[in-house]
Amino acid sequence: MIYDALIIGGGPAGLAAALTLGRACRRVLLCDAGTPRNAAATHIHNVVTRDGTPPAEFRRIGRAQLAPYQTVEVRDTRVEAVSGARDGFAVKTATGTVKARRIVLATGMVDAIESIAIPGFAEAWGHSIYQCPFCHGWEVRGRRWGFLALDAQGIEHGFPAMLRSWSDDVVVMTRSAFDLPAEQTAQLTRAGVRVEPRPIARLAVEKQRLTHVEFTDGERLACEVLYAHPPQRQVGVVAALGLDLDPLGYVKVDPMTRQTSTPGIYAAGDLTTRAQGAIFAAATGSHAAAMVVHDLAMAAMHAAADAQGR
Ligand SMILES: Cc1cc2nc3c(=O)[nH]c(=O)nc-3n(C[C@H](O)[C@H](O)[C@H](O)COP(=O)(O)OP(=O)(O)OC[C@H]3O[C@@H](n4cnc5c(N)ncnc54)[C@H](O)[C@@H]3O)c2cc1C
């Protein structure tokens, strides 16, 4: 038995891909390791019809809506390796090896939280330290906000100035980790954002809620909400595929087909872009799946033509 498509990852991207392939009567296996990126969050926001849904409930609904499509199988298992080529991939999972004509990568990204060596950071991640104000901003609007800048680039792109949409009290913390050009400091000041260059000793966190930032000189700054973009990395199975990546480390896909640099391997969701969000991931999952259906149909048509020509 060979699956038409094997989807790796059962988050918004993978679930949407499975739905699209199932509705196209394709034989699909979705494998999910059960380690979603938003595991620390209590609710998903900014997703039309699902605003405020707990992440586990979102996935439960996604899986329940796959149930009527009998050609779709879902397994809670980790994919360990992918080998072979278009029309004949071999996918090694924790429970055995299966074959598939096409692969859809929907593995998300890993946030390297451990690389932020500030006591308190990991505890508050997803509870009062967030990556995105569109996801977690409205609930904490008007409070004392900070942005932990890991490099000058995060500031250049205007992220801290944007935070002023939600709060009048925004402080950028550079930790003396890099020099902020005077022009950028002036721009932030004009946008109503303060700059705090002192190194941080620790974050004061009570029951996963940030209360203060404590600097190495012992002074404390009241801060209830912090935004940060920890470095991200691809999961091992994707990294091992040797696909073309963009300069930021995201998997490059053809914008029309969502095919990666390896024929027959498609990708959707966070692993392909820094513009990350559940609804974006779901949209690209559906897009990739539709292109897989198209590709399978074209391949069958060409095979039939070849057979007739013989
Ligand atoms: C703390 C936090 C809060 C967030 N809140 C929001 C929010 O409120 N609204 C919003 O829109 N976005 C939010 N996001 C972003 C959102 O979670 C992601 O954009 C979205 O989950 C991406 O979907 P995805 O399907 O690409 O990846 P994921 O949801 O990360 O799913 C990837 C899946 O692939 C599986 N996987 C990985 N490797 C393997 C393997 N080898 N074999 C099998 N399975 C594998 C994982 O177990 C996981 O289940 C948040 C992110 C974080 C970190």
Side-chain angles (χ1 to χ4, degrees), residues 97-143:
T97 297
V98 291
K99 293 203 157 175
R101 293 193 167 87
R102 303 288 183 276
I103 303 291
V104 179
L105 302 174
T107 47
M109 288 297 276
V110 180
D111 291 305
I113 308 296
E114 71 287 350
S115 69
I116 313 272
I118 302 177
F121 188 91
E123 188 188 342
W125 175 248
H127 302 282
S128 48
I129 303 180
Y130 305 111
Q131 86 301 347
C132 160
F134 296 98
C135 304
H136 304 279
W138 192 85
E139 289 70 23
V140 287
R141 65 195 183 283
R143 304 223 185 132

Side-chain angles (χ1 to χ4, degrees), residues 4 26 101-102 291-301:
D4 289 322
R26 288 296 178 178
R101 293 193 167 87
R102 303 288 183 276
M291 291 298 106
V292 167
V293 172
H294 178 264
D295 185 24
L296 288 168
M298 292 303 103
M301 191 177 76

Side-chain angles (χ1 to χ4, degrees), residues 8-14 31-38 41 43-45 47 59 77-79 106-108 111 125-126 131 135-136 235 237 268-270 276-279 281:
I8 312 180
C31 297
D32 184 45
T35 51
R37 191 174 153 231
N38 59 356
H43 298 92
I44 298 182
H45 289 287
V47 175
R59 286 171 174 241
T77 186
R78 178 173 295 279
V79 169
T107 47
D111 291 305
W125 175 248
Q131 86 301 347
C135 304
H136 304 279
V235 301
V237 72
D270 281 5
Q276 298 170 344
I279 203 158

